[in-house]
Amino acid sequence: MLTQVAEGVLVHQSALLENNTVVVEGRDGVLLVDPGLTDGEMTCLANDLSESGRPVVAGFATHPDWDHALWHAGLGDAPRYGTARCAEYLRDLRSNADWKTGVAEGLPPEIAGEVPLDLFGLIDGLPAGTTRIPWDGPRIRIVEHPAHAPGHAALLIEERGVLVAGDMLSDVLVPMFDDDGDPIEGYLAGLQVLEDVAGDVDVVVPGHGSFGGAGEVRARIDLDRAYVHALRDGRTPDDPRIGPSAKPGWEWVSDLHAGQARSLARRRSS
């Protein structure tokens, strides 16, 4: 279930959306980033960690999307961190009496009955401006930026050269925009923040899809930036993640792209 991508850094990938759960080994246990997706997958992950003597001592949600703020009772009750804005967004969501129904309605139908939601979104917001994960393990820099979702943050595991990118820099998903503010400029700003740390990165792990080795982070930043520029300019992107070159099983990303293009076109014309 776990694939090592660097010393002390392992990845578990979900079956449906290729979500990457990242496990970082510390002195007394592990940090778990974006665990998911189904009850069975998280139970298996919890069992693997328990049987190998690696208790979960902390968690982190890169952003508040449903598939990145999950948790499972089998993982224990370690503190679960996120940025202040991420935690605020999730608190507001959970304050609605019918929040669970709303989240469930947005789940992929293939796994809708298999995703545990009781512990979804219970995130401890770190004080604004916090730049390090508070734990007894490798130094992990919090790289917050305005792209994709409120309070989105990548994590740079400095001693291992690993960038945990959240919902950025995927080889199967095109950039997806936050509806608040200026989505194009926000995304470009987020890419610039990631580019500013790219020189320290040997391995990039996106929220969905394959991890990449040295040099791959800059190639993915360039690909994402070209996509965003094309939509900003009203052009059709030359992007391998959409159209006939899309990875088998990911053809639906072309529909996602078409919807984004229409939405941005309406913004330009209004």
Side-chain angles (χ1 to χ4, degrees):
M1 295 272 308
L2 291 169
T3 301
Q4 183 168 311
V5 299
E7 181 185 351
V9 183
L10 305 101
V11 172
H12 166 254
Q13 190 172 85
S14 67
L16 180 62
L17 294 173
E18 297 188 15
N19 278 70
N20 291 315
T21 298
V22 178
V23 178
V24 186
E25 295 178 341
R27 180 173 301 175
D28 300 317
V30 302
L31 169 73
L32 205 55
V33 184
D34 293 353
L37 284 178
T38 66
D39 181 270
E41 288 173 328
M42 286 190 275
T43 297
C44 185
L45 174 62
N47 290 340
D48 284 351
L49 293 174
S50 176
E51 291 169 5
S52 62
R54 293 179 285 193
V56 179
V57 297
F60 190 89
T62 58
H63 61 290
D65 286 354
W66 73 266
D67 54 333
H68 294 264
L70 296 169
W71 199 255
H72 190 278
L75 300 172
D77 58 357
R80 299 165 56 192
Y81 301 117
T83 65
R85 192 171 179 214
C86 172
E88 180 183 16
Y89 180 95
L90 288 166
R91 279 196 304 272
D92 289 346
L93 186 154
R94 286 182 59 100
S95 69
N96 297 317
D98 61 347
W99 73 266
K100 193 178 291 187
T101 299
V103 173
E105 288 175 349
L107 298 177
E110 299 94 328
I111 59 171
E114 304 174 42
V115 178
L117 293 178
D118 287 346
L119 301 177
F120 166 80
L122 297 175
I123 301 299
D124 297 325
L126 295 169
T130 300
T131 59
R132 304 284 177 186
I133 298 287
W135 81 308
D136 191 10
R139 287 166 57 89
I140 300 179
R141 191 190 317 172
I142 300 170
V143 186
E144 187 173 359
H145 57 73
H148 180 66
H152 196 299
L155 297 179
L156 179 60
I157 309 168
E158 294 179 332
E159 299 168 36
R160 308 291 183 251
V162 177
L163 180 69
V164 181
D167 267 355
M168 307 277 286
L169 310 186
S170 172
D171 61 335
V172 290
L173 281 174
V174 294
M176 296 176 289
F177 304 117
D178 187 359
D179 291 333
D180 292 338
D182 186 330
I184 290 291
E185 292 307 314
Y187 211 97
L188 291 174
L191 289 174
Q192 184 59 57
V193 169
L194 297 183
E195 187 168 47
D196 290 343
V197 302
D200 298 323
V201 176
D202 297 317
V203 178
V204 57
V205 182
H208 303 263
S210 303
F211 63 86
E216 186 76 11
V217 63
R218 293 190 185 276
R220 295 192 185 194
I221 290 170
D222 290 344
L223 182 63
D224 279 0
R225 185 177 283 129
Y227 176 89
V228 177
H229 282 166
L231 264 65
R232 180 195 62 186
D233 300 339
R235 296 182 284 107
T236 299
D238 180 14
D239 194 296
R241 297 167 291 189
I242 57 178
S245 60
K247 182 178 178 178
W250 291 82
E251 293 84 359
W252 57 271
V253 176
S254 294
D255 296 331
L256 184 155
H257 156 69
Q260 293 196 134
R262 289 192 297 269
S263 177
L264 290 169
R266 286 194 296 269
R267 280 176 175 262
R268 287 194 297 269
S269 62
S270 62

